Amino acid sequence: MALTEKLTITHIELTTTKPEIAIREFRTAAEAAKAAAQTILTTVIHNPEARIMFPTGNTQIPIYEELVLLAQDTQVDFSKIHAFQLDEYVGVTPEDKESFTGFLRTRVYDPLHIPHQQRHEIHGMAPDVEIEAKRYNDEIKKQPIDLVILGIGPNGHIGFNEPNTPFESETHIATLTQDTLSRDQDRGQQLHTHAYTAGIANILEAKQILIVGFGKNKGELFDKAFNASPSIACPASALQNVSHRVTAIMDTPAAAVVHAGKQNK
Ligand code: GLP
């Protein structure tokens, strides 16, 4: 084989390396939240029957507020989507203050008029947790999820996939770590030690993954997740394995930390 052919082959191999996670940076958290809401809206415009998995958390509050306003303004119809929730504490009813089901009903499902039969909810009070986890996992796996939205937790968790959760995990009951419990305690929440969560494998199987975070602290978490090698010590780092399907939306304070971390790599 001539030398030039060998070089061509080398070049092709080099171009197949994984792309980096796409980072979209916005000056303020409010602008970033608007962009995240627009991403959700665009998914529904392109696919009115999209299967979307929604997270909870403070980060999501402005995103969902924007989404509801955008849906009203544009008259985009959400009534055909299938809505999934990312996680839920074990032992809560939707009426409990901490319930993620309750959060999503109030902030997303009711205002967007998502019919009850298309709300795929985790039953926090199910009598058998293993059966409930399996039931929910089967629901998720019926067809691929089109879009999963994520925040990032204090120890790099996504959903409630805590550090040391295998990347192959599907829906399971997570034992919450001290980092997560302390965060919940600091927020004045009633403490729940266990939670259902879609697994890392369920998340990675989605056609599109959107992860959002604002501020320096979230930037530090993104830095660990995106700039170091993937490791089960940081669950969000699993996203690097499907980087071509991941977009991270953040504000400038978060992005500055990620960019600085990349330079020091
Ligand atoms: C919780 C949820 C996660 C969420 C994370 C970040 O632990 N299980 O799904 O991403 O918190 O929440 P916040 O945006 O409030 O910091």
Side-chain angles (χ1 to χ4, degrees), residues 21-29 31-33 35 210-215 218-219 222-223 226 247-259:
I21 288 173
I23 294 179
R24 292 182 62 202
E25 175 185 339
F26 295 86
R27 223 164 30 85
T28 63
E31 285 170 28
L210 175 65
I211 184 160
V212 191
F214 314 130
K218 297 287 180 182
F222 284 143
D223 176 36
F226 301 162
T247 302
I249 289 187
M250 56 189 83
D251 60 0
T252 296
V257 182
V258 180
H259 294 320

Side-chain angles (χ1 to χ4, degrees), residues 36-37 39-55 64 67 76-78 80-86 104 108-109 112 114 118-120 136 140 143-150 206-208 210:
T39 303
I40 303 169
L41 190 86
T42 306
T43 300
V44 177
I45 292 172
H46 288 148
N47 178 8
E49 295 173 20
R51 291 161 65 84
I52 302 180
M53 186 172 272
F54 294 94
Y64 294 154
L67 181 63
V76 170
D77 180 14
F78 276 70
K80 294 192 184 69
I81 76 158
H82 279 261
F84 293 81
Q85 69 187 84
L86 186 62
L104 291 173
V108 183
Y109 301 168
L112 292 177
I114 299 169
Q118 286 149 231
R119 302 175 182 190
H120 301 266
Y136 192 64
I140 295 175
Q143 280 176 47
I145 298 290
D146 293 289
L147 170 67
V148 59
I149 307 142
L150 302 170
K207 292 186 191 166
Q208 200 192 347
L210 175 65

Side-chain angles (χ1 to χ4, degrees), residues 72-197:
Q72 279 163 0
D73 285 354
T74 56
Q75 296 285 302
V76 170
D77 180 14
F78 276 70
S79 73
K80 294 192 184 69
I81 76 158
H82 279 261
F84 293 81
Q85 69 187 84
L86 186 62
D87 45 14
E88 176 62 295
Y89 292 109
V90 171
V92 297
T93 70
E95 289 70 37
D96 286 335
K97 217 167 96 228
E98 285 82 27
S99 167
F100 293 169
T101 310
F103 177 108
L104 291 173
R105 285 183 186 175
T106 313
R107 296 181 179 275
V108 183
Y109 301 168
D110 291 344
L112 292 177
H113 310 294
I114 299 169
H116 287 268
Q117 67 275 17
Q118 286 149 231
R119 302 175 182 190
H120 301 266
E121 298 183 332
I122 299 172
H123 304 143
M125 294 297 284
D128 185 319
V129 288
E130 294 297 340
I131 291 175
E132 176 59 6
K134 165 135 186 21
R135 180 199 68 77
Y136 192 64
N137 198 52
D138 291 345
E139 292 271 308
I140 295 175
K141 289 180 70 99
K142 269 186 196 148
Q143 280 176 47
I145 298 290
D146 293 289
L147 170 67
V148 59
I149 307 142
L150 302 170
I152 189 165
N155 48 14
H157 73 219
I158 45 177
F160 268 132
N161 291 283
E162 296 280 41
N164 300 322
T165 306
F167 287 177
E168 302 75 32
S169 66
E170 297 193 334
T171 311
H172 61 279
I173 294 104
T175 303
L176 302 185
T177 59
Q178 195 51 51
D179 286 331
T180 301
L181 293 172
S182 302
R183 189 271 317 259
D184 287 355
Q185 190 165 29
D186 290 347
R187 291 181 173 180
Q189 288 185 205
Q190 192 191 319
L191 289 189
H192 300 281
T193 55
H194 292 81
Y196 294 97
T197 184

